[in-house]
Amino acid sequence: METWKRVAQVGDISPDTNTLRVMLDGEGVCLYDLQGEICATQDRCPHGNASLADGYLEDGTIECPLHQGVFDIRSGKPKCPPVTTDLRRYEVKVDGDVIYLKAEAA
Ligand code: FES
């Protein structure tokens, strides 16, 4: 069974960073606004204890604020060292201004 959870509104995403950290089932998730396309990945960098919502978004990539590892946001793939692990991605649904993430089935 599909379960979608309301996590934010599009307007909640910072226009400065184009990111927003939200919680889904106790996990930090980073929302990204890629010029109107909303994407979501795990918020914690797999390399260390950094929040990707504090990173630098450019051309569909997010640069970790701690050691400058870069990930492709849409695929979750690492693009440059020191990061080597894919990001977990989340399915996103936008209805009007409301952002939903697909949650694990209960
Ligand atoms: Fe993100 Fe090291 S914590 S690159």
Side-chain angles (χ1 to χ4, degrees):
M1 187 184 84
E2 284 191 355
T3 306
W4 293 90
K5 288 202 175 163
R6 177 184 178 140
V7 291
Q9 292 186 277
V10 173
D12 296 334
I13 298 178
S14 164
D16 296 328
T17 62
N18 293 305
T19 60
L20 178 70
R21 182 175 191 270
V22 297
M23 296 299 288
L24 178 72
D25 297 336
E27 299 289 328
V29 176
C30 185
L31 302 179
Y32 309 89
D33 183 349
L34 305 181
Q35 298 184 319
E37 177 189 355
I38 308 300
C39 297
T41 71
Q42 70 185 66
D43 181 61
R44 186 185 159 120
C45 179
H47 181 251
N49 190 15
S51 168
L52 294 174
D54 294 330
Y56 177 64
L57 187 155
E58 184 178 48
D59 291 339
T61 64
I62 187 74
E63 181 183 287
C64 177
L66 197 51
H67 307 114
Q68 289 71 52
V70 176
F71 299 92
D72 182 285
I73 293 168
R74 292 184 181 89
S75 69
K77 299 280 182 204
K79 287 187 66 102
C80 83
V83 292
T84 56
T85 306
D86 288 13
L87 294 177
R88 179 178 178 191
R89 293 173 298 137
Y90 293 82
E91 281 191 58
V92 177
K93 184 167 78 174
V94 180
D95 184 7
D97 190 41
V98 180
I99 301 171
Y100 298 85
L101 294 177
K102 194 171 187 178
E104 302 290 335

